[in-house]
Amino acid sequence: MKNWRRFLYLFVGLLVLIALLLVWATQFAPPRFRVNTPVQAIFGGIQADEQQLKQRLTAPPGFTISLYAGGITNARVLRFTQTGDLLVSTPRNGQIILLERDANGDGHADRTRVLIDSLNRPHGIDFHNDWLYIAESNGFGRIRFDHQTGQTIGSYQPLVTDIPDNGNHWTRTIRIGPDNKVYLSVGSSCNVCEELDPRRAAMLRYELDGTGFEIFASGLRNSVGFDWSPIDGHIYATDNGRDLLGDEFPPDELNRVEQGQFYGWPYAHGDRIADPEFGPGHAETITGSTPSAHNFRAHNAPLGMEFLTHEGIPKQYQGSALVALHGSWNRTTKDGYKVVALRWSDQEESTRSIEEYDFVTGFEQDGHVIGRPADVRQGSDGAIYISDDFANAVYRVAWGETSTKTNPQPITKQPLPKPEQMDINHEQTNADYRAGKVLYQQHPCAECHEPAQAQTASIPLNDLSNRYTLDSMQQFLQTPTPPMPTFPLTADQRRQLATYLLIKY
């Protein structure tokens, strides 16, 4: 009997010890020991919730919206394999993710797995036969891909590695054109400036093996999405206009991109409207520039786009282009945050007009944001797939189906303790906090995040400790969401700045 009681006391004591260790690990441990639960590694990000999607998101009558896959950190560019699997680029993780097609018919990707890892902020992806091309922030490469097995073959081959990737716009979008050449869009290094490197703010073209470099078109500030029209065969590309000129100017653009043409930036915007800072003295250049084919509202941030060609959708959408409007940051009232359809009129090419219609809305309501569309892609089933780098998700919009989806489990985390709650022995944390404060003051963070110092609308840093762990905040600082620039921080400096931000905000 004594032995049994001794065993019981030891068992209870062990349980108490384990509980105390768990409390210490989540509440009081220094960062190097703290338990990191999964959270969204995106500014202001949330976890996609299908019940909320049903309440908030709307599409044209006859379409249903569902959550195809969740928990995909920083989901950006989408591309389908020949067998219906869906690839997703995740720049912040340096990975290409493969979502296995929905073979069991439950409305969700059957499995999620990492296809390729350890890449340099991969963004654009495209196929040419059995080659998978990947655009990293400093260039692009390719790897063999077996469409039947969904597996890569051999090693990844970097082809171009010298594209500058400093400054504001580090995402690179890659497409293989009908001419079997590689097209690569490279954004500007700044909000507005005269670039020293002509490869910035341009669309580049290469041979399939990375040789034969040429500047295909210039004056494109940040053309994240582009596709070839089934109507006229031309490239149409979205373009993000500059910031800090007020809520309504300049417009974001859709450009019909032609070889050798200059599209105005930084001297002009839209229909050759002169920039107030860089336009004076460049009248001849502005006159010779190519105006936009269509204007979006200012600061809507159009990103991915695709022309719809599948017959499994209503006829009025076939031949239209869907565009993901990522949404505004430099605006007093939020705008964008939706997917729109662009329809070309049936007039002659010289007078053909483009009209814009809402397709999926509700990501933003009364200033409350639950998602930011990043890319759109039509599957072989005719359904539309939308990536969301804010809610870390991929949605499916289908014609003539009934939604029968399940709700994902919510994700929670413990915030970092405030300074007064911290153990006074956490010398490393306290030192990092002080160093991070200095870094915050040294870099132009306040120009965008402190209302008193912002030139226009600011992005307040609120409640960060409930949205990030120390690790995910460091990942964000290494791969920030454009247009936030990448700062030349060391790993230690990223840890210090992350510590300061999580404790302060």
Side-chain angles (χ1 to χ4, degrees):
M1 182 64 70
K2 290 182 180 179
N3 290 335
W4 180 85
R5 288 180 177 176
R6 186 178 294 111
F7 173 79
L8 178 62
Y9 293 153
L10 288 172
F11 180 73
V12 172
L14 180 61
L15 290 178
V16 171
L17 178 61
I18 292 172
L20 290 173
L21 287 172
L22 286 174
V23 170
W24 176 82
T26 56
Q27 293 281 0
F28 305 108
R32 62 182 180 274
F33 294 119
R34 186 170 288 111
V35 175
N36 289 324
T37 54
V39 295
Q40 299 72 28
I42 183 68
F43 181 81
I46 60 172
Q47 177 70 10
D49 182 285
E50 191 150 9
Q51 189 62 38
Q52 188 178 44
L53 299 182
K54 293 177 181 179
Q55 296 172 355
R56 287 277 298 265
L57 301 189
T58 60
F63 287 92
T64 58
I65 306 174
S66 61
L67 179 63
Y68 187 67
I72 306 173
T73 300
N74 196 215
R76 292 286 292 197
V77 173
L78 305 174
R79 193 70 61 205
F80 279 97
T81 71
Q82 294 175 5
T83 55
D85 295 332
L86 181 58
L87 302 190
V88 188
S89 67
T90 61
R92 191 155 296 135
N93 288 344
Q95 298 173 338
I96 305 298
I97 302 296
L98 186 144
L99 306 180
E100 293 186 359
R101 59 192 176 280
D102 178 22
N104 61 15
D106 68 351
H108 301 285
D110 283 359
R111 190 163 72 102
T112 300
R113 58 183 169 86
V114 176
L115 183 68
I116 306 175
D117 205 349
S118 302
L119 296 168
N120 182 17
R121 295 186 289 190
H123 186 255
I125 46 180
D126 205 4
F127 284 106
H128 182 262
N129 298 328
D130 59 350
W131 284 105
L132 170 61
Y133 283 77
I134 302 172
E136 302 179 78
S137 64
N138 66 332
F140 66 91
R142 65 183 181 182
I143 190 170
R144 292 279 185 185
F145 182 81
D146 187 326
H147 288 268
Q148 297 302 315
T149 64
Q151 301 287 346
T152 58
I153 303 171
S155 58
Y156 177 69
Q157 302 174 15
L159 298 176
V160 174
T161 60
D162 63 345
I163 301 296
D165 60 354
N166 60 305
N168 289 54
H169 301 118
W170 51 263
T171 61
R172 308 284 174 256
T173 302
I174 194 168
R175 297 296 306 271
I176 310 301
D179 55 359
N180 289 325
K181 292 182 183 292
V182 176
Y183 291 76
L184 186 74
S185 63
V186 178
S188 65
S189 65
C190 57
N191 173 39
V192 59
C193 64
E194 293 180 322
E195 296 285 0
L196 299 178
D197 192 317
R199 294 174 296 177
R200 300 302 295 253
M203 183 176 289
L204 315 181
R205 187 165 70 173
Y206 298 83
E207 299 296 334
L208 290 171
D209 61 1
T211 62
F213 160 74
E214 60 181 323
I215 295 177
F216 185 77
S218 60
L220 298 164
R221 180 177 178 271
N222 189 30
S223 291
V224 177
F226 59 97
D227 195 14
W228 282 260
S229 168
I231 299 173
D232 58 26
H234 288 291
I235 301 173
Y236 285 85
T238 61
D239 197 20
N240 288 206
R242 65 160 293 186
D243 298 309
L244 308 178
L245 290 180
D247 282 358
E248 304 299 335
F249 185 79
D252 290 332
E253 301 174 2
L254 181 79
N255 291 297
R256 193 176 82 171
V257 182
E258 299 183 69
Q259 186 173 9
Q261 296 299 302
F262 172 71
Y263 290 85
W265 187 86
Y267 309 116
H269 313 282
D271 190 9
R272 302 189 182 103
I273 302 173
D275 184 89
E277 296 178 56
F278 284 78
H282 295 278
E284 185 176 348
T285 301
I286 293 172
T287 300
S289 67
T290 302
S292 58
H294 172 75
N295 290 337
F296 300 97
R297 286 171 57 82
H299 314 303
N300 274 207
L303 299 185
M305 67 169 290
E306 183 172 59
F307 284 94
L308 305 181
T309 58
H310 195 283
E311 295 180 356
I313 57 174
K315 186 176 180 179
Q316 64 265 33
Y317 289 101
Q318 295 173 20
S320 298
L322 293 185
V323 178
L325 302 184
H326 202 226
S328 60
W329 73 270
N330 182 238
R331 188 182 176 94
T332 54
T333 302
K334 289 182 172 64
D335 198 8
Y337 303 95
K338 57 186 175 182
V339 176
V340 296
L342 302 180
R343 298 178 189 169
W344 276 248
S345 69
D346 295 328
Q347 302 171 14
E348 293 295 325
E349 184 171 333
S350 61
T351 58
R352 187 176 292 145
S353 62
I354 302 173
E355 296 184 54
E356 179 180 335
Y357 301 87
D358 286 348
F359 186 72
V360 177
T361 61
F363 290 101
E364 180 271 324
Q365 284 184 2
D366 300 322
H368 178 240
V369 175
I370 65 168
R372 301 188 73 183
D375 197 16
V376 289
R377 196 67 50 204
Q378 188 173 35
S380 59
D381 57 354
I384 310 302
Y385 294 77
I386 303 169
S387 64
D388 182 339
D389 64 353
F390 183 92
N392 306 308
V394 175
Y395 313 112
R396 182 175 183 268
V397 183
W399 168 255
E401 293 185 6
T402 302
S403 179
T404 58
K405 311 303 180 290
T406 57
N407 294 332
Q409 294 297 315
I411 290 179
T412 59
K413 66 178 279 287
Q414 289 289 339
L416 282 174
K418 298 300 181 183
E420 61 271 16
Q421 300 172 316
M422 285 188 159
D423 190 315
I424 58 174
N425 293 323
H426 292 173
E427 296 180 2
Q428 181 66 59
T429 298
N430 292 330
D432 284 351
Y433 177 88
R434 292 190 296 270
K437 182 177 181 179
V438 172
L439 289 169
Y440 183 85
Q441 295 169 343
Q442 286 178 344
H443 294 284
C445 306
E447 293 180 9
C448 290
H449 298 299
E450 301 297 337
Q453 300 182 48
Q455 298 183 44
T456 56
S458 63
I459 305 176
L461 298 175
N462 297 324
D463 202 32
L464 293 183
S465 62
N466 285 322
R467 294 195 293 265
Y468 293 91
T469 62
L470 188 64
D471 286 345
S472 64
M473 177 57 76
Q474 290 178 85
Q475 290 175 353
F476 177 84
L477 293 173
Q478 185 172 13
T479 310
T481 302
M484 178 176 169
T486 54
F487 295 118
L489 301 174
T490 65
D492 286 342
Q493 289 174 327
R494 286 195 297 271
R495 186 192 68 248
Q496 293 161 356
L497 183 55
T499 301
Y500 171 75
L501 291 173
L502 290 172
I503 293 175
K504 178 69 174 179
Y505 300 98

